[in-house]
Amino acid sequence: MKADILSIGTELIMGELVDTNAPYLAAHLPPMGIELQRITQAPDDLDSLVQALEQAFHRSDLILTTGGLGPTEDDLTREAIAQLLGETLHVDPQSLEGLKETFRRRGIPMPGGNVKQANLIPSARLIPNLLGTAPGWWVEKGGKIVIAMPGPPTELYPMWQTEVQPHLRLLAPETVILTRIVKTFGLAEATMNDMLLPLFHLPNASLGIYAQPQGIQLRIRVRAPSSDEAQKLVSPVEAEIRRLVGEYIWGADEQLLEEQIGKELREQGLTLATMESCTGGLLAHTITQVPGSSDYFRGGLVAYSNDIKIAWGVDPALIREHGAVSSQVAEDMARAARDRTGADLGIGTTGVAGPGELEGKPAGTVHIGLAYPGGILSFSRRYPQPRSLVKQRATTHALLELWRLLCRLRG
Amino acid sequence: MKADILSIGTELIMGELVDTNAPYLAAHLPPMGIELQRITQAPDDLDSLVQALEQAFHRSDLILTTGGLGPTEDDLTREAIAQLLGETLHVDPQSLEGLKETFRRRGIPMPGGNVKQANLIPSARLIPNLLGTAPGWWVEKGGKIVIAMPGPPTELYPMWQTEVQPHLRLLAPETVILTRIVKTFGLAEATMNDMLLPLFHLPNASLGIYAQPQGIQLRIRVRAPSSDEAQKLVSPVEAEIRRLVGEYIWGADEQLLEEQIGKELREQGLTLATMESCTGGLLAHTITQVPGSSDYFRGGLVAYSNDIKIAWGVDPALIREHGAVSSQVAEDMARAARDRTGADLGIGTTGVAGPGELEGKPAGTVHIGLAYPGGILSFSRRYPQPRSLVKQRATTHALLELWRLLCRLRG
């Protein structure tokens, strides 16, 4: 089954909003044997939407749309699908009653605009929305399926999970597309490519390679009539990759560096603490994205000024001698993070997030300290601007070095 | 001038990577009078790319592509553009020499795959890439322009800023599209829509309305021969919006809540500190995304366990009596954040990020405390899963309440 995703909203075309809905949906399709052809973002403009729908309708068996189901004047997804199929909108009485009931429960009168959310065409049935006022549409016509879902992720995710995915699965073909992602760091993309050259033209598996903030990733992709058979095609390719570049691999598939680290900390019975300056809390935030991280993450300090660094245990002599942006202070912050929290491992980050320079050191300068029972390490880098990217890169680098240390400690 | 953006990479179609390049480029086009028609993500597949390019070529005068310029087997952007235009690739000797020089400087031999990055067609000239090995392509043919840029943002952003945007500006038409975003919170989307109904069908300005994590946003969009004339069309619409819903407006255009807060703190001469549990550092991270935030952000504590909360000044009796997930503890964390850092204002967050429950309280429960010289406030909410969204919503809510407090303190 071939599919298109259409994300609807002028805010996407104006660059005001990053489309995270399409990747969310896209990631669910391959295991169902659904092959995504294209993702499109189109503005809240009826002609544009109809053209985008027509092209997708021509290309694919299934179109998933998000957005444009709101109650406002510029929400035109229903109108566009009606025009695509040459059908006429009417207000569905039962749905209107449901909407009114929702507002009654909220204790506020229903704004007039919401009536359009009860609109329907003959080929469509409504998909309930438990978390908002915009029901989805499930449309079947001419052997094709169009599924319109709301844009806000809080409404889209539950609608997809409980109302759309289970029904789509029943229609799914007897083909499985299996993807295996192998995550590495420490090798350049082209070098990796050269080392894996023989794997690029295998008859039953395709290999992709691309750069991510957390390192180079490899994608093995196969198609087979069943999961078991797909797995049998993937395994030898993955084994060959591990033989060729195994020492650079840190994870696979949806594994995140912070999850891998959490697993290692848990297995080794170690706890962790952070003292951040230039990363400003992003390191603690990333670590605590992992469910259950409270088991091993003792706590974090964001020490954004020298006096706070000193109040939280950093040696003032080191700041005087080397400046706050120095590998010496990064190491001492790592040590202080351990001391302050009783954690086994401490990470310190100090640097110049930018855009301006600090202590005569250029924006992007970053020092990372890593304290553990056996000693203290530090790492220094200079990252390109903007500020947000410096924070991101420094955080990833700190996690990579921590993961590397944990692997060494495991022996 | 009409434009299309094409983001290239199977990782986008597989949902493994969120496309942030397209919104980055999209945001730069309207001020240059360039009207974006469509954003497309297509996989690393030659037929798909050629089809996507053909459709864009048919629709627009300008095509901006990102990605697919790497040195590996599945980097096919150059091949697809060559096929689109019916031209043949050749290795450009000067460019090859430049590539070799880059690797000489790095002190490593050039991998064989990189040779393809010196490929060119007759209609294309190379765009220098100062931060990577993939030069861009500037292609002109049949009155249309195709500009191919690399995918990694660290290479794309500088290439766009220094090599592409300045040249495009020279070609830009004598039309300016001006967009004004008005950012609000506290009103439901449909209610806002009803209040602004008369503004939806103005002859010279279009109004859009959409929900964002930081509240409802309004977009005024006009087209005029000059910036001045565009501004004259926008101003009365904005004035009318401010008259109708002014009390709900917190910012405009690219302003972020954390920036607005920073400005208020600076103007009022106040400092801020945080003690986070459920937001795990995201609040400090968001505050420190603002350049110069070190002037008013004293520091942050991520107190992820009860003993650390207590060690950092939270009253153990409150935890015993109400549980760590309680408005009482949120307030006490806010107070402790002030006490520990000497800041004027303190924010505390405690809750259940999920997916599991805690202390018998369901995932998504969040309490926010806000301590200031005149007292302590708290706010409680329950957000839907997943964990990452709970952290995001709680952070935004904390910032909104802080901003609201700062407005009150300003009087």
Side-chain angles (χ1 to χ4, degrees), chain A residues 16 38 51 210 212 300 302, chain B residues 16-17 38 51 210 300 302:
Chain A
E16 294 154 11
R38 195 75 62 85
Q51 190 203 46
Y210 52 99
Q212 288 274 61
V302 182
Chain B
E16 295 154 11
L17 185 68
R38 195 75 62 84
Q51 191 204 45
Y210 52 99
V302 182

Side-chain angles (χ1 to χ4, degrees), chain A residues 146-359:
Chain A
V146 182
I147 299 170
M149 292 170 283
T154 44
E155 299 176 31
L156 169 67
Y157 293 8
M159 184 180 288
W160 168 259
Q161 285 161 18
T162 63
E163 302 293 335
V164 177
Q165 193 176 22
H167 292 95
L168 269 184
R169 226 190 281 276
L170 300 178
L171 306 172
E174 286 161 23
T175 305
V176 171
I177 300 166
L178 183 65
T179 294
R180 176 88 174 155
I181 307 288
V182 178
K183 301 182 171 182
T184 78
F185 79 97
L187 267 188
E189 189 176 0
T191 310
M192 183 76 82
N193 187 69
D194 283 4
M195 291 173 77
L196 300 178
L197 222 47
L199 301 179
F200 273 102
H201 297 289
L202 299 177
N204 296 318
S206 76
L207 183 66
I209 176 170
Y210 52 99
Q212 288 274 61
Q214 296 196 332
I216 302 294
Q217 302 197 352
L218 307 167
R219 182 195 330 98
I220 312 163
R221 196 176 177 208
V222 303
R223 175 197 303 270
S226 74
S227 289
D228 280 359
E229 286 168 88
Q231 194 54 59
K232 275 185 202 139
L233 292 174
V234 163
S235 296
V237 183
E238 183 179 352
E240 184 63 9
I241 290 174
R242 290 188 179 271
R243 194 182 68 80
L244 291 168
V245 297
E247 60 186 305
Y248 301 97
I249 296 171
W250 61 258
D253 290 338
E254 294 183 355
Q255 289 173 341
L256 298 171
L257 197 43
E258 52 269 30
E259 288 172 354
Q260 296 291 87
I261 287 168
K263 214 180 295 172
E264 279 296 328
L265 287 169
R266 207 182 286 272
E267 278 174 18
Q268 299 185 35
L270 296 171
T271 57
L272 175 66
T274 54
M275 188 183 293
E276 304 178 62
S277 183
C278 65
T279 50
L282 179 56
L283 183 56
H285 165 53
T286 307
I287 292 165
T288 61
Q289 289 286 72
V290 182
S293 47
S294 52
D295 293 348
Y296 50 80
F297 185 60
R298 292 284 297 159
L301 296 150
V302 182
Y304 227 51
S305 62
N306 286 352
D307 64 313
I308 291 279
K309 283 187 188 75
I310 293 164
W312 289 347
V314 174
D315 181 356
L318 290 175
I319 297 181
R320 268 198 311 276
E321 194 174 337
H322 305 284
V325 180
S326 61
S327 56
Q328 291 85 354
V329 168
E331 292 187 1
D332 209 46
M333 289 171 74
R335 179 200 55 72
R338 287 187 67 199
D339 290 355
R340 284 275 134 166
T341 61
D344 300 305
L345 302 163
I347 310 181
T349 67
T350 180
V352 190
E357 58 169 38
L358 196 71
E359 302 178 345

Side-chain angles (χ1 to χ4, degrees), chain A residues 46 50 57 77-90 119-125 137-144 146:
Chain A
L46 195 58
V50 174
F57 207 71
T77 302
R78 284 172 288 256
E79 288 77 356
I81 296 174
Q83 188 166 325
L84 168 77
L85 303 177
E87 300 192 10
T88 306
L89 291 162
H90 65 271
N119 270 344
L120 210 52
I121 52 172
S123 301
R125 66 170 183 81
W137 272 19
W138 184 298
V139 188
E140 297 198 25
K141 192 165 191 175
K144 307 237 174 180
V146 182

Side-chain angles (χ1 to χ4, degrees), chain B residues 31 90 102 168 187 193 195 217 221 223 266 305 315 318 326 338-339 341 350 398:
Chain B
H90 64 272
T102 302
L168 269 184
L187 268 188
N193 186 70
M195 292 174 77
Q217 303 198 351
R221 196 176 177 210
R223 176 197 303 270
R266 207 183 288 273
S305 61
D315 181 355
L318 290 175
S326 62
R338 287 187 69 199
D339 290 354
T341 61
T350 179

Side-chain angles (χ1 to χ4, degrees), chain B residues 9 15 32-33 67 80 170 176 230 243 245 266 300 302 324 345 366 372 381 386-387 391-392 403 405 407:
Chain B
M32 299 162 76
L170 300 178
V176 171
R243 193 182 70 78
V245 297
R266 207 183 288 273
V302 182
L345 303 163
V366 171
Y372 64 109
R381 287 284 187 286
R387 180 182 180 87
K391 289 177 74 178
Q392 181 60 62
W403 184 77
L405 173 67
C407 293

